[in-house]
Amino acid sequence: MAAGIGSVWAQDIVVAIAGPISGSEATFGEQMKRGAEQAVADINAKGGVLGKKLRLEVGDDACDPKQAVAVANQLASKKAVFVAGHYCSSSSIPASEVYAESGILQISPASTNPALTDRGAKFANVFRVCGRDDQQGAVAGAFLADKYKGKNIAIIHDKSTYGKGLADETKKALNAKGGTEKLYDSITKGDKDFTALVSKMKAAAIDAIYFGGYQTEAGLMVRQAREQGLQARLISGDALVSTEFWSITGKAGEGTLMTFGPIRASSRAPRRWSTASRPRATTRRLHAVHLRRLPGVRKGRGDRQVVKTDDLVKAMRANKVETVIGTLGFDAKGDVTSPAYVFFEWKDGKYAEM
């Protein structure tokens, strides 16, 4: 981590969120923004941090890698001490290069690709509060091997860092359990017509479709499958935990399964949050809790207050980080120490844990 960088004294302490405020994943970006705004407002209402106010910067990467790097550089120039983001793995990974060089604490709420935290000591400033594709894929692959033994399975991905990584980890776990997919194929993120792919799956008599990708393409795929008479069950990852998925599919999405972390009730969660929105909103609030509770803000000369990234990182690794979703710990890589994935199912326009 660059020496001397990551220490800030100013009238305000700058924190940031970075994610898809625009683009196909803007639903999640809006959740990030709302959660961060509420967190900053709550903490500032209680006096801020050591008498200083938090000031929130918002970066829109549209889940585009090049735009994510540009956003990261902008946030570094504004002397942000912490960034909650990014959402897409394809954005978090290249942006993390900038944060590592600039000494900015980065905590992703949703980037699950293992590469984010698997790159050694240079990236000691990088953390995530979600699990990883290899953990999520292990659960999905074991489910497919057990519940669809002897059945025809298709594994499809959207070529994105997240989607392909998740599909490949699921395939690996399925194969390790003795299962074999009948079809492995890909689409391109942004595609809208899946007629040819559905025809191919019908010809292969597919019973279950595992899709590594996001809610828009997943929703269109399952809707078109039903329209063409293919009743194969759709199984996917945490990106489908979004009401946008059901708004695309309607009844065609009934019975769709997706892996996601178990929803834990917490006395710290504001009552105004619904159970369904709580896990998304709270993870995007973690940055404000960290800045309030971690011993990373110190007095400098005179009345200056200094936020040191190294101190924040050390406190994170103490494995007693108090958050609105309970106490979290992090391993040497920056991964949360208690990841868990369970299956949720879409029924009547709502999702619930199986």
Side-chain angles (χ1 to χ4, degrees), residues 3-327:
I5 299 176
S7 300
V8 176
W9 54 89
Q11 292 303 310
D12 298 325
I13 297 174
V14 181
V15 297
I17 63 113
I21 306 303
S22 64
S24 60
E25 313 312 324
T27 297
F28 297 106
E30 181 59 26
Q31 290 179 24
M32 294 175 71
K33 182 172 179 288
R34 286 200 308 267
E37 287 172 343
Q38 187 63 59
V40 169
D42 288 349
I43 288 180
N44 283 343
K46 295 179 180 179
V49 178
L50 291 181
K52 293 183 179 295
K53 297 292 186 181
L54 298 183
R55 175 161 60 86
L56 179 67
E57 294 287 340
V58 178
D60 179 14
D61 65 20
C63 276
D64 176 82
K66 291 183 179 179
Q67 193 164 324
V69 171
V71 165
N73 280 306
Q74 290 169 4
L75 296 177
S77 71
K78 293 178 180 179
K79 301 188 182 301
V81 298
F82 167 79
V83 175
H86 297 226
Y87 174 74
C88 293
S89 294
S90 56
S91 292
S92 283
I93 293 170
S96 68
E97 297 277 352
V98 176
Y99 302 135
E101 290 297 326
S102 302
I104 297 172
L105 182 66
Q106 177 189 8
I107 307 175
S108 173
S111 294
T112 56
N113 191 279
L116 179 63
T117 54
D118 275 357
R119 292 168 296 156
K122 176 184 174 182
F123 297 92
N125 62 307
V126 178
F127 296 82
R128 60 175 140 211
V129 295
C130 56
R132 298 161 48 113
D133 289 339
D134 45 4
Q135 296 160 339
Q136 191 168 191
V139 172
F143 177 86
L144 288 168
D146 179 34
K147 302 299 183 182
Y148 288 89
K149 185 176 182 180
K151 302 289 187 179
N152 296 326
I153 299 169
I155 297 179
I156 314 293
H157 65 80
D158 67 356
K159 302 176 187 173
S160 70
T161 304
Y162 165 73
K164 187 176 188 303
L166 187 54
D168 286 350
E169 291 294 346
T170 298
K171 180 181 183 300
K172 183 190 300 183
L174 170 65
N175 297 162
K177 293 285 187 179
T180 304
E181 69 283 358
K182 187 166 186 179
L183 177 65
Y184 179 91
D185 209 337
S186 65
I187 63 165
T188 298
K189 196 172 184 299
D191 283 351
K192 292 181 173 57
D193 185 355
F194 302 106
T195 303
L197 176 60
V198 171
S199 296
K200 186 185 294 187
M201 290 192 288
K202 282 186 69 177
I206 295 300
D207 298 295
I209 305 166
Y210 186 84
F211 178 63
Y214 295 90
Q215 73 283 355
T216 302
E217 291 77 17
L220 291 171
M221 186 184 300
V222 72
R223 192 179 74 191
Q224 292 173 32
R226 299 297 179 263
E227 290 171 352
Q228 295 182 53
L230 178 62
Q231 298 302 315
R233 189 174 211 174
L234 179 65
I235 303 166
S236 191
D238 48 5
L240 268 62
V241 183
S242 165
T243 55
E244 187 178 355
F245 173 75
W246 187 266
S247 71
I248 294 170
T249 66
K251 283 293 186 179
E254 192 83 10
T256 294
L257 300 180
M258 59 274 184
T259 45
F260 191 64
I263 294 177
R264 296 178 292 174
S266 171
S267 59
R268 299 184 182 91
R271 291 183 180 180
R272 61 182 171 273
W273 291 347
S274 68
T275 301
S277 67
R278 187 176 298 141
R280 290 290 183 182
T282 52
T283 52
R284 287 148 179 79
R285 293 189 63 180
L286 287 176
H287 69 287
V289 179
H290 292 153
L291 285 174
R292 181 178 60 183
R293 294 185 179 275
L294 293 184
V297 183
R298 296 181 174 181
K299 288 186 176 181
R301 294 179 180 178
D303 63 352
R304 296 182 302 185
Q305 305 296 343
V306 182
V307 179
K308 294 183 66 65
T309 305
D310 286 345
D311 292 330
L312 292 173
V313 168
K314 288 177 183 177
M316 292 280 288
R317 297 198 188 284
N319 290 332
K320 293 182 180 179
V321 182
E322 295 296 328
T323 79
V324 293
I325 56 173
T327 303

